[in-house]
């Protein structure tokens, strides 16, 4: 009961922040609301018992990506008078895409989610073994480097990140002038 | 009998369990724990302000506060706090109200949240998360956001410049800090703060001194203290991101800075100095009284204040670095060094020391650390002699050229 009330509260607040992100005319406020959205998602991860994922969400999305977005806003716009039009010509198309995606997700969930009533479902569910939760980080780390699990995607992702890193340095590098070259 | 049990639980530092055993609700016990931790930290800060002023004054051959509260001026912070409480809260014209008012609250919340996973005595810890260290890093990376809120909300160019400096500095120094922290995590095989303390039969500062040094330097930068106090360099940007704050709102930033420094001392003690451990004193039982936790708490506090003293000592001694020095030192020295150290320790630990006993392992790792540090210094010296590192940095060159062109 309490979990459901809490979840609905967090979900409503998160969606409210998300709504502010797309409707607010002040870009800085929109970026702050984006942080609120990320925080809401992190709280949902915590309630699901995924502590590591929640902290990664905080560290990566709020601590790094949001700050990067704010820096980008401040460096590229007139920061103190950042009144932007909330919608541009792509608004209709975006709305269509978003609604279509939502319908797809809703269809998948309704089709494949267990449709037994909540009480019957609770009766058949087994509680999560506390030992699994306690060692979740160790299990995660081992599955990242285990040949039987995710070592290939993990390595591919790291190579891709390295390539992105080198590429961004190359783009940001000041061009040599003709006489210097 | 009940009173005796209560006193006993107070001395053995398990008041929570006693309250639970007499039928108090869990959430009340949790609330008491949270309030105790938060209040003790905040009250300690009042004392720390006095300590900092007094110690710095003595080091600089001054007397320091000596008027309020007897010969040693012990009540000086109380009068300071009263003055700050009675001051008017001025909001600058054109301030962005929501970020401006949110920043001082969030920064204190973030500094207090990190205390949740610090084990202050055996069995006395807010919550023993299996991702304890990661939790601390995540929370402190969120606190970076508050600088931006304050700097942008104030509608002041000095505040914004200060916020930019603060964010650049904190985001940069997070990298060597995290990599240095990976070394003790690797040795303890756990990210839980309690497990790391339990793994330190030999304190990690002896096993991996270089990692401790890198962490300490990064911690100095993360707390924004001398020699890394560019974010509030008075002579350049007046006071940095909190220039437009007055009264208690200003005091909140001040509080967060002291809380952060105290926290970094405690974190250093937990990760590198063995936390509450001191030659088995933390497990002592006299008669039927399990006095270990109390002694452990005293040991922990002593260590924390020793580290805090070093923080003050450095503040009273070193001048401020320049921005280019700050970033060069981080990206060209600390980050590569910490990566090399992490790889070295990982390879040594996994390949050569898998079956070694604790003492051999510690000795070999310590020697490895010293060798890595020595080689680094030799490389720097060699490069410097070859004139490869710019002794006169570009900024000065540019200034000279500008003057010459004029």
């Amino acid at each position: 009961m309490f979990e459901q009330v809490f979840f609905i509260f967090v979900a409503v607040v998160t969606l409210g922040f998300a709504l502010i992100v797309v409707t607010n005319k002040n870009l800085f406020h929109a970026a702050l609301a984006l942080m609120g959205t990320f925080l809401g998602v992190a709280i949902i991860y915590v309630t699901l018992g995924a502590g590591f994922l929640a902290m990664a969400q905080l560290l990566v999305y709020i601590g790094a990506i949001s700050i990067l977005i704010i820096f980008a806003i401040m460096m590229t716009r007139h920061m103190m008078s950042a009144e932007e039009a909330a919608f541009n010509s792509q608004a209709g198309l975006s709305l269509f895409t978003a609604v279509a995606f939502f319908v797809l997700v809703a269809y998948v969930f309704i089709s494949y989610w267990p449709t037994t009533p909540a009480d019957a479902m609770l009766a058949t569910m087994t509680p999560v073994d506390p030992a699994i939760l306690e060692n979740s980080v160790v299990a995660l780390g081992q599955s990242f480097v285990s040949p039987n699990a995710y070592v290939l995607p993990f390595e591919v992702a790291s190579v891709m990140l390295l390539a992105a890193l080198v590429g961004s340095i190359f783009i940001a590098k000041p061009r040599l002038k003709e006489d210097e070259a | 009998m009940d009173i005796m049990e209560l006193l006993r639980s107070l001395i053995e530092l398990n008041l929570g369990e006693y309250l639970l055993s007499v039928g108090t609700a869990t959430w009340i016990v949790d609330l008491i724990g949270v309030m105790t931790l938060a209040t003790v930290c905040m009250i300690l800060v009042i004392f720390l302000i006095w300590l900092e002023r007094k110690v710095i004054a003595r080091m600089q051959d001054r007397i320091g506060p000596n008027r309020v509260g007897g010969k040693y001026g012990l009540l000086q912070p109380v009068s300071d706090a009263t003055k700050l409480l009675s001051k008017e809260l001025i909001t600058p014209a054109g301030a962005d109200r929501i970020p401006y008012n949110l920043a001082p609250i969030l920064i204190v919340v973030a500094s207090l949240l990190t205390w949740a996973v610090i084990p202050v005595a055996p069995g006395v810890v807010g919550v023993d998360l299996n991702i304890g260290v990661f939790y601390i890093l995540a929370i402190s990376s969120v606190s970076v956001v508050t600088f931006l809120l304050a700097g942008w909300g104030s509608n002041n160019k000095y505040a914004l410049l200060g916020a930019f400096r603060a964010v650049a500095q904190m985001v940069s120094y997070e990298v060597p800090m995290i990599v240095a922290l990976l070394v003790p995590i690797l040795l303890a095989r756990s990210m839980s703060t309690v497990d790391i303390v339990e793994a330190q039969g030999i304190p990690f500062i002896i096993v991996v001194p270089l990692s401790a040094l890198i962490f300490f330097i990064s911690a100095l930068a993360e707390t924004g203290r001398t020699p890394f106090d560019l974010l509030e360099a008075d002579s350049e940007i007046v006071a940095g991101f909190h220039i437009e704050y007055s009264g208690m709102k200003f005091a909140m930033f001040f509080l967060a800075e002291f809380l952060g420094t105290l926290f970094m001392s405690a974190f250093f003690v937990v990760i590198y100095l063995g936390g509450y451990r001191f030659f088995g004193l933390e497990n002592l039982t006299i008669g039927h009284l399990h006095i270990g936790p109390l002694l452990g708490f005293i040991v922990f506090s002593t260590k924390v204040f020793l580290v805090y003293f070093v923080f003050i000592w450095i503040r009273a001694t070193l001048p401020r670095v320049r921005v280019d020095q700050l970033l060069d030192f981080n990206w060209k020295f600390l980050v590569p060094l910490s990566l090399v150290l992490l790889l070295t320790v990982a390879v040594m630990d996994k390949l050569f020391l898998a079956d070694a006993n604790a003492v051999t392992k510690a000795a070999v790792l310590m020697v490895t650390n010293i060798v890595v540090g020595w080689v680094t210094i030799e490389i720097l010296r060699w490069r410097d002699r070859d004139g490869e590192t710019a002794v006169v940095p570009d900024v000065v060159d540019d200034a000279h050229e500008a003057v010459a062109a004029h």
Side-chain angles (χ1 to χ4, degrees):
Chain A
M1 180 60 199
F2 175 74
E3 276 93 352
Q4 285 186 356
V5 172
F6 188 74
F7 169 76
I8 290 169
F9 175 74
V10 173
V12 166
V13 171
T14 308
L15 290 178
F17 273 125
L19 205 61
I20 294 175
V21 175
V22 282
T23 55
N24 202 300
K25 287 188 172 155
N26 186 324
L27 270 179
F28 185 75
H29 286 179
L32 291 186
L34 188 64
M35 285 184 195
T37 317
F38 290 148
L39 187 67
V41 176
I43 291 173
I44 290 178
Y45 287 154
V46 170
T47 57
L48 291 174
F52 185 83
L53 197 56
M55 289 308 129
Q57 171 92 1
L58 280 190
L59 193 71
V60 175
Y61 281 90
I62 298 184
I65 290 183
S66 299
I67 287 181
L68 198 66
I69 289 174
I70 289 182
F71 262 76
I73 293 170
M74 285 179 170
M75 298 289 184
T76 53
R77 313 248 174 189
H78 299 288
M79 46 185 122
M80 290 301 172
S81 57
E83 287 277 306
E84 298 282 328
F87 299 104
N88 61 13
S89 57
Q90 294 172 344
L93 202 61
S94 311
L95 183 70
F96 173 74
T97 317
V99 169
F101 184 70
F102 179 78
V103 168
L104 179 72
V105 171
Y107 173 75
V108 169
F109 271 81
I110 291 169
S111 313
Y112 297 101
W113 204 248
T115 46
T116 33
D119 294 335
M121 209 169 81
L122 276 178
T124 57
M125 278 196 319
T126 48
V128 182
D129 185 6
I132 295 176
L133 284 180
E134 188 57 37
N135 293 318
S136 57
V137 181
V138 177
L140 184 73
Q142 280 170 349
S143 67
F144 271 148
V145 290
S146 153
N148 299 324
Y150 305 109
V151 68
L152 195 64
F154 184 71
E155 290 301 324
V156 168
S158 64
V159 168
M160 209 174 74
L161 284 175
L162 184 68
L165 203 69
V166 174
S168 63
I169 290 172
F170 183 75
I171 291 172
K173 203 177 75 171
R175 299 271 188 282
L176 289 178
K177 286 173 202 149
E178 286 299 314
D179 52 327
E180 276 175 314
Chain B
M1 197 59 204
D2 249 352
I3 302 284
M4 286 308 292
E5 284 295 313
L6 182 67
L7 282 177
R8 187 192 164 93
S9 76
L10 276 175
I11 290 171
E12 292 186 351
L13 297 182
N14 58 0
L15 184 64
E17 276 152 41
Y18 170 76
L19 286 178
L20 282 178
S21 71
V22 296
T24 320
T26 318
W27 68 270
I28 295 180
V29 176
D30 288 349
L31 201 66
I32 292 174
V34 170
M35 284 176 64
T36 314
L37 188 63
T39 318
V40 167
C41 292
M42 301 246 228
I43 289 174
L44 263 181
V45 167
I46 295 180
F47 168 70
L48 288 178
I49 293 171
W50 172 83
L51 186 76
E52 181 131 358
R53 290 181 64 177
K54 202 75 182 172
V55 170
I56 289 183
R58 289 291 177 182
M59 284 181 177
Q60 296 171 342
D61 206 9
R62 295 182 285 120
I63 296 172
N66 65 342
R67 302 281 158 166
V68 192
K71 192 181 164 194
Y72 300 106
L74 258 170
L75 291 179
Q76 182 68 41
V78 177
S79 81
D80 287 349
T82 319
K83 186 185 106 180
L84 282 167
L85 273 170
S86 65
K87 281 207 169 186
E88 187 189 356
L89 294 174
I90 302 165
T91 307
D96 198 339
R97 294 253 168 180
I98 300 170
Y100 178 81
N101 290 318
L102 211 56
I105 302 170
L106 281 184
I107 197 165
V108 174
V109 169
S111 337
L112 281 177
L113 273 178
T114 44
W115 282 92
V117 292
I118 292 292
V120 295
V124 183
V125 54
V127 50
D128 178 20
L129 294 177
N130 61 351
I131 47 162
V133 175
F134 195 49
Y135 166 84
I136 291 170
L137 295 171
I139 297 291
S140 51
S141 86
V142 169
S143 73
V144 173
V145 175
T146 56
F147 295 121
L148 273 179
L149 290 181
W152 199 82
S154 301
N155 189 23
N156 179 311
K157 65 183 87 159
Y158 293 117
L160 196 61
L161 276 176
F164 274 162
R165 283 186 177 193
V167 173
Q169 177 175 330
M170 296 186 75
V171 170
S172 309
Y173 276 84
E174 231 167 41
V175 178
M177 186 178 194
I178 292 176
V179 179
L181 275 176
L182 281 177
V183 173
I185 289 173
L186 194 88
L187 294 177
R189 306 279 193 272
S190 171
M191 281 201 280
S192 149
T193 42
V194 176
D195 288 354
I196 289 177
V197 170
E198 291 301 329
Q200 295 181 68
I202 303 164
F204 282 153
I205 194 170
I206 297 172
V207 184
V208 281
L210 201 55
S211 159
L213 187 66
I214 295 171
F215 174 81
F216 191 78
I217 294 171
S218 313
L220 270 179
E222 284 285 306
T223 49
R225 292 168 68 91
T226 334
F228 302 107
D229 60 340
L230 294 129
L231 52 154
E232 46 188 73
D234 303 27
S235 51
E236 298 160 23
I237 50 172
V238 197
F241 59 91
H242 52 58
I243 178 174
E244 290 288 1
Y245 287 88
S246 62
M248 237 7 236
K249 285 186 196 165
F250 166 75
M252 301 270 268
F253 284 107
F254 215 66
L255 175 68
E257 191 195 319
F258 276 88
L259 270 178
T261 315
L262 185 65
F263 171 75
M264 279 301 173
S265 318
F267 197 27
F268 187 82
V269 167
V270 166
I271 302 290
Y272 292 105
L273 294 183
Y276 46 73
R277 295 181 64 159
F278 189 74
F279 298 112
L281 210 60
E282 72 280 0
N283 294 325
L284 198 66
T285 305
I286 297 174
H288 291 295
L289 202 61
H290 188 48
I291 205 168
L294 190 64
L295 291 176
F297 180 67
I298 293 169
V299 167
F300 177 78
S301 314
T302 315
K303 286 178 179 173
V304 170
F305 279 106
L306 278 177
V307 176
Y308 196 85
F309 180 79
V310 179
F311 270 102
I312 301 178
W313 190 3
I314 289 172
R315 183 177 204 164
T317 314
L318 293 179
R320 186 185 305 137
V321 297
R322 273 195 328 259
V323 176
D324 59 323
Q325 292 170 335
L326 175 92
L327 292 178
D328 278 0
F329 181 64
N330 180 51
W331 291 110
K332 295 180 183 171
F333 179 70
L334 279 187
V335 173
L337 179 61
S338 55
L339 284 172
V340 167
L341 179 70
L342 175 65
L343 278 179
T344 318
V345 172
V347 169
M348 292 294 286
D349 190 59
K350 195 71 187 172
L351 289 189
F352 302 116
L353 297 168
D355 304 320
N357 68 5
V359 177
T360 328
K361 201 169 159 177
V364 173
L365 281 178
M366 185 172 79
V367 171
T368 317
N369 264 257
I370 292 169
V371 168
V372 169
W374 180 74
V375 168
T376 313
I377 290 170
E378 280 304 310
I379 290 174
L380 284 181
R381 215 177 259 159
W382 175 70
R383 278 177 63 99
D384 199 35
R385 205 166 44 222
D386 282 6
E388 281 192 27
T389 47
V391 181
V392 182
D394 299 341
V395 183
V396 179
D397 272 353
D398 292 348
H400 283 170
E401 276 167 24
V403 169
H406 200 65

